[in-house]
Amino acid sequence: MTSPQQTTSTPPVRIIEGQAASDRAARALSSYFAELDRRLEGGFDPKLTEQVDPDDVTPPRGDFLLLTELASGTVLGCGGVRVLPNGDVELRRMWLATDARGKGLGRFLLRALENRARALGGRRVVLSINESLTEAISLYASAGYTATQPFEDNPYVTVFLGKDL
């Protein structure tokens, strides 16, 4: 997948697939969880959310992507997709490092995740999010996501969104 339009402040990036069990994915998720802990009222405890087996975000049942800077390999973001029993594909744990935001990389990563959902046979993608993550909700809305029925029980989730692919 080609990277977003480059500017002097946006380094060339690439998407790396099949990263569910990698150390770099674990570090990216730790950064994501730390941000949630800072931003959500009352903090965030990942133990209170569904723990997904890496096999569920590994082809053919899903995938976990890393967005990295091409030259250095620095992880700038991550996200996963997994096929749900009803055939929808759930977008999970999409995150972008704070200093990588505002450069089109979130939209780039979202398109890559949607493409993986299509490749897994998905016709609809769904996601859940906390209302305090306003930048992410704005990104999803601008990409065509709309309110959908709840599909999980998660104490941190206040918004459910979906999009036909």
Side-chain angles (χ1 to χ4, degrees):
M1 178 171 251
T2 58
S3 62
Q5 182 178 13
Q6 300 298 306
T7 67
T8 55
S9 62
T10 306
V13 297
R14 70 177 176 163
I15 297 286
I16 305 173
E17 299 175 353
Q19 296 298 299
S22 74
D23 289 339
R24 294 188 332 160
R27 286 191 302 275
L29 287 172
S30 290
S31 295
Y32 171 61
F33 294 155
E35 180 175 348
L36 290 177
D37 192 48
R38 287 189 307 274
R39 292 189 61 182
L40 300 185
E41 187 176 327
F44 177 79
D45 181 353
K47 294 179 196 121
L48 299 178
T49 64
E50 179 185 10
Q51 303 301 306
V52 174
D53 186 307
D55 287 344
D56 288 339
V57 286
T58 300
R61 297 192 317 222
D63 206 348
F64 194 84
L65 312 181
L66 293 178
L67 174 69
T68 66
E69 188 177 293
L70 187 60
S72 69
T74 300
V75 174
L76 302 174
C78 65
V81 290
R82 72 170 172 166
V83 179
L84 297 175
N86 70 356
D88 288 349
V89 177
E90 180 185 13
L91 176 68
R92 295 184 54 83
R93 311 286 193 219
M94 185 173 150
W95 170 79
L96 203 61
T98 304
D99 59 349
R101 296 176 189 169
K103 302 173 183 179
L105 296 174
R107 189 166 306 281
F108 177 68
L109 179 57
L110 180 58
R111 278 196 308 265
L113 290 162
E114 290 173 344
N115 286 339
R116 287 303 299 140
R118 284 184 194 92
L120 292 165
R123 298 174 58 103
R124 180 167 176 76
V125 66
V126 294
L127 63 93
S128 58
I129 191 166
N130 186 281
E131 64 195 1
S132 67
L133 303 176
T134 56
E135 312 88 16
I137 291 172
S138 293
L139 170 66
Y140 297 132
S142 72
Y145 287 78
T146 59
T148 194
Q149 293 296 314
F151 58 88
E152 70 169 327
D153 185 24
N154 179 325
Y156 300 107
V157 170
T158 55
V159 177
F160 292 90
L161 301 172
K163 174 183 174 180
D164 291 334
L165 296 174

